[in-house]
Amino acid sequence: MTSFAPGVRARRRTALAAVLCAGLAVTTLTGCAGDDPDAGTNGLGKLSATEIDRKARAAADTAAAVRLSGKLISKGGDYTLDMQLNADGGTGSVTSKDNTFALLRVGDDLYLKADAAFWAQHGEGEDSATDGEAAAKLDDKYVKVPEDDPTYDQLRGFTEKKTLLDGLLTLHGSVNKGDRGKVTGVRTIEIMGGKGEGGALDVSLEGSPYPLRVARGGGGGTITLADWGKAFALEAPSEDDTVDYGGQLPKSSG
């Protein structure tokens, strides 16, 4: 009987290893199968950096909507964004060095909303400010931005899905693969322009290959992208919530 004991112990060890492996696979989706880092993913990590870049851009282009939040740093100013965008427009807030204001665009109709302090600080002319009474009337109301106003194109740019994504997702220099990581709990693969000086994208390894985070080259800020394809309400404000500014909007509002 004792001659069979080694074989019995070996079978028990094999069975125990199988049970442990099965249990670990539930929580890690890796290991026990050659430590495959792509197990349970969309397979994007196996592709070249150029292919990942192409697929991420295609996924972003075809998504019906997206939410962008984070900071943009440029020569024209620093902006903190929290915007929801789709093909028809966008809604959210923009914070610059001195101001915070809300933007809403439905088709070609663009609205700006800010507090009384914003309107009191800026006025109709280089040396004047909106008086306190007028500023109070504009407080927390939507003001429609005329399409011929100098600020229209600048402000509209913050509400354009294609315009913002085309700029954010462009990597400069040769595209290379970086490290694997996580963004808001989702596994990602990084691709970079050069060694990161040309920007970097963290692309989802789960589900559709959406870019989930953008680090702009040259210290240009970091933007998180979420709610891909998630529909949201986009309606023009009511007449009761809208006020006519009565003149050219302040150029410094952006």
Side-chain angles (χ1 to χ4, degrees), residues 14 35 51 125 127 144 149 166 176 180 184 228:
T14 300
D35 293 325
E51 290 175 306
D127 302 317
K144 187 173 182 180
D149 191 280
D166 284 350
N176 301 293
R180 293 166 185 264
T184 61
W228 286 103

Side-chain angles (χ1 to χ4, degrees), residues 37-38 40-45 180-181 186-189 203-207:
D38 294 302
T41 73
N42 56 20
L44 201 70
R180 293 166 185 264
V186 178
R187 286 175 293 171
T188 58
I189 181 73
V203 185
S204 177
L205 287 172
E206 303 177 18

Side-chain angles (χ1 to χ4, degrees), residues 196-239:
E197 69 277 6
L201 306 179
D202 290 295
V203 185
S204 177
L205 287 172
E206 303 177 18
S208 298
Y210 292 125
L212 301 183
R213 183 167 57 201
V214 179
R216 301 180 74 210
T222 300
I223 297 291
T224 298
L225 304 101
D227 295 343
W228 286 103
K230 186 176 180 179
F232 61 93
L234 193 60
E235 299 179 354
S238 65
E239 290 187 9

Side-chain angles (χ1 to χ4, degrees), residues 14-86:
T14 300
L16 179 60
V19 171
L20 290 174
C21 185
L24 289 172
V26 172
T27 56
T28 65
L29 298 178
T30 60
C32 302
D35 293 325
D36 181 5
D38 294 302
T41 73
N42 56 20
L44 201 70
K46 298 179 179 180
L47 304 180
S48 69
T50 301
E51 290 175 306
I52 296 172
D53 187 27
R54 180 178 60 79
K55 285 183 173 292
R57 285 171 169 274
D61 285 344
T62 57
V66 64
R67 181 168 192 157
L68 286 76
S69 58
K71 193 167 188 177
L72 293 177
I73 302 172
S74 67
K75 293 180 179 179
D78 298 354
Y79 303 96
T80 298
L81 306 182
D82 187 1
M83 298 294 301
Q84 289 179 285
L85 309 173
N86 62 26

